[in-house]
């Protein structure tokens, strides 16, 4: 079992990949066989695929606060008139799709939470064809993400209610960045660098859902989390480094999370939630 990024790196060298280490860890800490563990992850992948497809087709949340923007993004990507790169925009579209499905109470795969479910699925489904990933390699992508997510969860957190959006979408983005690095042939050390770059750039991000609902600004934060993951992965693969090691960045995330007031940790009592528009929307949804 590994508890830090340093331990993850060291132990991964005894296995064919980080994914293999994560599968071994799961088998060691459960009653499941390797085949069962991989089968469960395959089911998770199927849920991701369905939620992306459903969201792109166009959905609306129960409240009407969110919905339909994944469909708009899909049309925009198809138009070819975009300014940023197509892979990033497709990841953004996918991330929005998943979280719009979540907002309508549809079925999604929490990675690591429901509120941040769009990031990992968004990046994987945008890049799998470009990287020519087989089904098993896509599962390895998810296991690699899970390995780094396990470290973040054990040393900081993954919930906005605990440490702000820096921990929720931040952890999802870091997980996706690490997995993308290894899927593109990078080393585990480069994957750790991508984690560090991602988290330090999302450090201090608050959790301030309008009306206390996981819709605004949550859906679009998943979109930007997906794009951050891809940029961090590219920087790491280019040879850029993080001056602050990944484990120390994660420690900083934990400290900042504990310093955030309760009003900025998913209570809907600060930030965007308490803007005039945010308060008006809350009243329209729930009444005075």
């Amino acid at each position: 079992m590994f508890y830090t990024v340093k331990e993850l790196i060291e132990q991964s060298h005894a296995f064919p990949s980080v994914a293999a280490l994560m599968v071994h860890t799961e088998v060691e800490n459960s009653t499941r066989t390797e085949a069962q563990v991989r089968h469960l992850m395959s089911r998770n992948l199927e849920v991701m695929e369905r939620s992306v497809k459903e969201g792109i087709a166009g959905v609306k949340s129960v409240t009407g606060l969110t919905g339909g923007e994944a469909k708009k993004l899909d049309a925009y990507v198809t138009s070819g008139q975009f300014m940023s790169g197509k892979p990033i925009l497709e990841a953004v579209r996918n991330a929005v799709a998943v979280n719009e499905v979540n907002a309508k109470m549809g079925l999604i795969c929490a990675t690591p939470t429901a509120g941040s479910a769009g990031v990992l699925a968004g990046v994987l489904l945008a890049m799998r064809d470009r990287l020519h990933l087989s089904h098993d390699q896509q599962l390895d992508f998810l296991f690699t993400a899970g390995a780094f997510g396990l470290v973040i969860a054990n040393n900081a957190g993954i919930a906005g209610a605990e440490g702000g959006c820096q921990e929720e979408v931040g952890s999802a983005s870091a997980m996706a960045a690490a997995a993308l690095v290894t899927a593109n042939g990078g080393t585990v050390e480069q994957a750790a660098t991508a984690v560090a770059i991602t988290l330090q750039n999302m450090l201090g991000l608050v959790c301030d859902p309008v009306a206390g609902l996981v819709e605004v600004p949550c859906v679009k934060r998943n979109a930007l989390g997906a794009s951050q993951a891809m940029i961090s992965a590219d920087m790491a693969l280019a040879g850029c480094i993080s001056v602050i090691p990944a484990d120390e960045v994660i420690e900083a995330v934990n400290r900042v999370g504990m310093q955030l007031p309760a009003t900025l940790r998913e209570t809907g009592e600060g930030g965007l939630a308490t803007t005039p528009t945010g308060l008006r929307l809350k009243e329209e949804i729930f009444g005075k």
Side-chain angles (χ1 to χ4, degrees):
M1 181 68 181
F2 50 88
Y3 294 95
T4 66
V5 172
K6 182 180 179 181
E7 291 175 353
L8 187 161
I9 292 172
E10 291 171 349
Q11 292 182 31
S12 71
H13 293 314
F15 292 84
S17 64
V18 174
L21 168 61
M22 187 65 235
V23 171
H24 172 78
T25 301
E26 185 67 18
V27 170
E28 288 288 298
N29 289 276
S30 72
T31 58
R32 300 186 180 101
T33 65
E34 179 176 340
Q36 289 172 326
V37 168
R38 294 190 70 85
H39 175 69
L40 286 172
M41 189 61 85
S42 183
R43 288 175 56 190
N44 291 338
L45 177 58
E46 290 173 6
V47 172
M48 293 179 191
E49 292 169 335
R50 288 198 300 269
S51 60
V52 167
K53 184 177 180 180
E54 181 182 355
I56 290 174
V59 296
K60 275 286 184 182
S61 70
V62 176
T63 64
L65 281 179
T66 56
E69 296 198 326
K71 187 174 183 178
K72 292 177 182 177
L73 283 164
D74 188 55
Y76 185 61
V77 171
T78 302
S79 75
Q81 300 302 308
F82 45 82
M83 292 180 287
S84 56
K86 188 175 182 181
I88 286 182
L89 264 185
E90 288 182 345
V92 164
R93 174 202 63 196
N94 296 345
V96 170
V98 172
N99 281 84
E100 287 184 338
V101 170
N102 179 57
K104 72 171 280 289
M105 306 300 177
L107 180 63
I108 53 89
C109 179
T111 51
T113 67
S116 60
V119 177
L120 192 59
V123 171
L124 172 56
L125 271 61
M127 294 303 296
R128 62 182 181 180
D129 289 339
R130 287 180 176 82
L131 296 178
H132 309 292
L133 301 182
S134 66
H135 181 74
D136 279 342
Q137 287 172 324
Q138 291 176 61
L139 299 187
D140 286 347
F141 184 105
L142 298 175
F143 281 118
T144 299
F148 283 94
L150 182 61
V151 172
I152 296 169
N154 284 333
N155 292 280
I158 57 173
E162 183 179 12
C165 199
Q166 58 157 9
E167 289 191 359
E168 189 152 347
V169 173
S171 61
S173 186
M175 291 162 62
L180 187 54
V181 166
T182 59
N184 202 31
T187 65
V188 63
E189 289 82 6
Q190 288 175 316
T193 294
V195 167
I197 292 172
T198 301
L199 289 175
Q200 63 191 260
N201 282 314
M202 302 187 84
L203 188 66
L205 185 61
V206 303
C207 182
D208 52 348
V210 170
L213 301 169
V214 188
E215 297 192 55
V216 178
C218 318
V219 172
K220 291 183 177 65
R221 284 195 180 154
N222 273 258
L224 296 182
S227 63
Q228 174 69 64
M230 296 183 70
I231 291 168
S232 296
D234 268 336
M235 292 182 71
L237 287 166
C240 298
I241 64 168
S242 172
V243 174
I244 310 299
D247 282 320
E248 293 182 29
V249 174
I250 293 170
E251 290 173 7
V253 169
N254 186 47
R255 288 197 304 273
V256 170
M258 290 189 291
Q259 291 167 349
L260 287 177
T263 54
L264 299 177
R265 287 188 281 115
E266 207 173 341
T267 56
E269 297 176 351
L272 295 176
T274 52
T275 60
T277 298
L279 293 172
R280 174 179 58 79
L281 290 170
K282 179 181 179 181
E283 184 176 323
E284 289 175 359
I285 295 168
F286 296 113
K288 292 185 178 180

